[in-house]
Amino acid sequence: MAETGRILMVYYSFEGNVEYISRIVSKELPADLFRLEPDREPPKKGIGKILLGGMDVVLGRLPRIVPCKYNLSDYSQIIIATPVWAGSYAPALGTFLKENHLQGKRIYLIVSSSSGNADKMLLKLEDSLTGNNVVGTLSVKDPLRNEEEERPRIEAFLRGIQI
Ligand SMILES: Cc1cc2nc3c(=O)[nH]c(=O)nc-3n(C[C@H](O)[C@H](O)[C@H](O)COP(=O)(O)O)c2cc1C
């Protein structure tokens, strides 16, 4: 049986915003952190970044990822954090969800986007998580560039997570 409240954060970050959130999580919560590492990513700069990354989402192309080093059955609570890519979640998270059938977890979703608008994507993500209890969602806008507004929102959200 999973210990009550034990928390694992599963996240992907391409440009550091979600990584920034993960650093706040490790400061605020007794959580284990697992960063998704895909075998394929778009170029870091130029038009190819959004174009190729977005194309993978639209075409449903999933990268391979390094397998999760944690035993998911040890955790009753999972924080899932991802950037918004082409109105959806990053492909690396798609691979994780496909390879790890989450069931019966308390789930917190944190999504980061440049527009701050992630409602549609959150619905899609919740849809991929049926059989779990999505107890909280937070949408932030590029926290590395909007630290003053977003850091307090992230901290307040994390304080709502039961340990
Ligand atoms: C391939 C790609 C597609 C993106 N698509 C969107 C989008 O559809 N809507 C949006 O608001 N931001 C979009 N963004 C911006 C990121 O979601 C945003 O900058 C996020 O905070 C990045 O998180 P990260 O730094 O952890 O990778 C996109 C970024 C990339 C690289």
Side-chain angles (χ1 to χ4, degrees):
M1 255 261 292
E3 225 175 88
T4 318
R6 208 163 157 199
I7 305 166
L8 176 68
M9 176 177 188
V10 176
Y11 70 100
Y12 173 69
S13 183
F14 180 55
E15 297 180 287
N17 288 277
V18 178
E19 177 66 37
Y20 169 84
I21 297 168
S22 78
R23 289 199 295 273
I24 304 177
V25 169
S26 64
K27 225 174 125 229
E28 300 284 326
L29 292 170
D32 289 320
L33 267 62
F34 177 59
R35 180 176 180 154
L36 298 171
E37 290 174 52
D39 65 348
R40 214 158 44 84
E41 286 180 317
K44 288 278 178 197
K45 282 194 179 120
I47 185 82
K49 180 175 84 171
I50 303 287
L51 213 62
L52 297 177
M55 219 154 79
D56 279 354
V57 173
V58 172
L59 299 176
R61 281 200 294 240
L62 297 178
R64 286 174 207 268
I65 56 169
V66 177
C68 187
K69 63 178 178 177
Y70 296 101
N71 186 350
L72 293 171
S73 59
D74 289 343
Y75 301 87
S76 60
Q77 308 202 84
I78 315 276
I79 300 171
I80 295 175
T82 174
V84 174
W85 276 21
S88 184
Y89 43 85
L93 178 59
T95 308
F96 175 83
L97 293 176
K98 196 170 165 204
E99 291 180 354
N100 300 278
H101 194 59
L102 297 178
Q103 278 294 306
K105 308 288 187 193
R106 285 169 61 81
I107 296 197
Y108 295 88
L109 302 177
I110 305 179
V111 301
S112 180
S113 64
S114 55
S115 60
N117 179 359
D119 291 353
K120 208 180 83 193
M121 178 275 212
L122 277 168
L123 286 178
K124 187 173 167 190
L125 191 46
E126 285 188 52
D127 250 14
S128 334
L129 290 164
T130 47
N132 299 280
N133 185 11
V134 177
V135 282
T137 62
L138 176 70
S139 165
V140 298
K141 185 172 172 173
D142 283 342
L144 282 178
R145 281 197 291 124
N146 305 292
E147 191 171 4
E148 224 170 280
E149 303 95 277
E150 298 297 20
R151 191 178 179 105
R153 292 185 64 230
I154 296 163
E155 288 171 344
F157 181 77
L158 299 180
R159 278 197 294 276
I161 297 181
Q162 290 170 21
I163 300 172

